[in-house]
């Protein structure tokens, strides 16, 4: 990978530690930028209008946002938005940083081993044969789409199997429960 070319040929622990330091610097920097801009929004007319709703959202994010921050490291393109948002709503920093640390440990391992290998291999293929590299991406997208569609169709058919056909209830009638063991009052 061009941005990590200096890590080429280094032992895994050097790559892992370097990537961990990168994420532990980058994510909090994004958080603090969001926190600074969020303070301005809180003091603005929009913040005054939102008032209690904004305070409620802040409390919820401070309480339940840590898992979201941690899981954001398993996504592509969402980390920055989530870190920025955590700062904008003023999530408590110790809680935020603990979530970043856990997510960063996983991210450095994933990026260092799996993702860098896949992306690096794809980039190498792209430099040798761009059409083949694009074909690989298209084939992967088609495969994922087929798997998702097949899974949804299977879950829908499971949901409708065995479900008795419901008879319409006329106005003024009380529907009888389908289960004969259902207690009647």
């Amino acid at each position: 990978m061009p941005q990590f070319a200096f890590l080429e040929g280094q032992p895994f622990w050097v790559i892992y530690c370097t990537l961990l330091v990168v994420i532990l610097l980058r994510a909090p920097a994004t958080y603090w930028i969001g926190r600074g801009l969020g303070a301005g929004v809180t003091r603005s007319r929009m913040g005054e209008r939102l008032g209690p709703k904004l305070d409620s959202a802040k409390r919820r994010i401070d309480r339940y946002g840590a898992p979201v921050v941690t899981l954001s490291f398993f996504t592509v393109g969402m980390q920055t938005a989530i870190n920025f948002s955590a700062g904008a709503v003023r999530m408590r920093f110790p809680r935020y940083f603990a979530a970043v640390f856990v997510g960063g440990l996983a991210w450095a391992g994933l990026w260092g081993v799996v993702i860098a290998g896949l992306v690096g291999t794809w980039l190498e293929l792209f430099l040798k044969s761009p059409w083949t590299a694009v074909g690989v991406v298209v084939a992967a997208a088609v495969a994922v789409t087929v798997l998702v569609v097949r899974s949804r169709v299977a879950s829908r058919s499971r949901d409708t199997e065995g479900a008795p056909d419901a008879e319409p209830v006329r106005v003024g009638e009380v529907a009888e429960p389908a289960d004969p063991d259902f207690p009647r009052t």
Side-chain angles (χ1 to χ4, degrees), residues 102-155:
V102 172
L105 290 172
W107 179 86
L110 286 173
W111 186 256
V113 175
V114 177
I115 297 172
L118 289 174
V119 172
T121 302
W122 185 84
L123 281 175
E124 198 171 305
L125 177 63
F126 182 79
L127 293 174
K128 290 180 182 175
S129 175
W131 288 110
T132 304
V134 169
V136 166
V137 170
V138 169
V142 167
V144 168
T145 303
V146 166
L147 290 173
V148 168
V149 168
R150 188 183 310 168
S151 171
R152 287 186 180 175
V153 167
S155 71

Side-chain angles (χ1 to χ4, degrees), residues 3-75:
Q3 70 264 33
F4 297 120
F6 67 95
L7 293 174
E8 208 166 296
Q10 296 294 324
F12 176 74
W13 71 269
V14 171
I15 295 170
Y16 183 82
C17 290
T18 302
L19 293 175
L20 184 59
V21 168
V22 165
I23 203 64
L24 292 179
L25 293 174
R26 189 195 75 171
T30 306
Y31 168 89
W32 287 110
I33 291 169
R35 190 157 176 146
L37 294 174
V41 169
T42 303
R43 286 184 236 139
S44 71
R45 278 189 241 161
M46 184 172 70
E48 290 173 12
R49 276 187 284 168
L50 292 173
K53 290 181 183 178
L54 186 59
D55 293 336
S56 174
K58 286 180 182 181
R59 281 191 304 275
R60 263 190 249 115
I61 288 173
D62 192 45
R63 183 168 181 185
Y64 301 112
V68 174
V69 171
T70 299
L71 292 174
S72 74
F73 290 96
F74 294 97
T75 66

Side-chain angles (χ1 to χ4, degrees), residues 76-99:
V76 177
M78 293 298 297
Q79 291 173 30
T80 302
I82 290 172
N83 287 308
F84 181 86
S85 299
V89 297
R90 303 180 69 82
M91 183 177 179
R92 285 183 288 157
F93 188 74
R95 181 177 293 234
Y96 165 79
F97 192 75

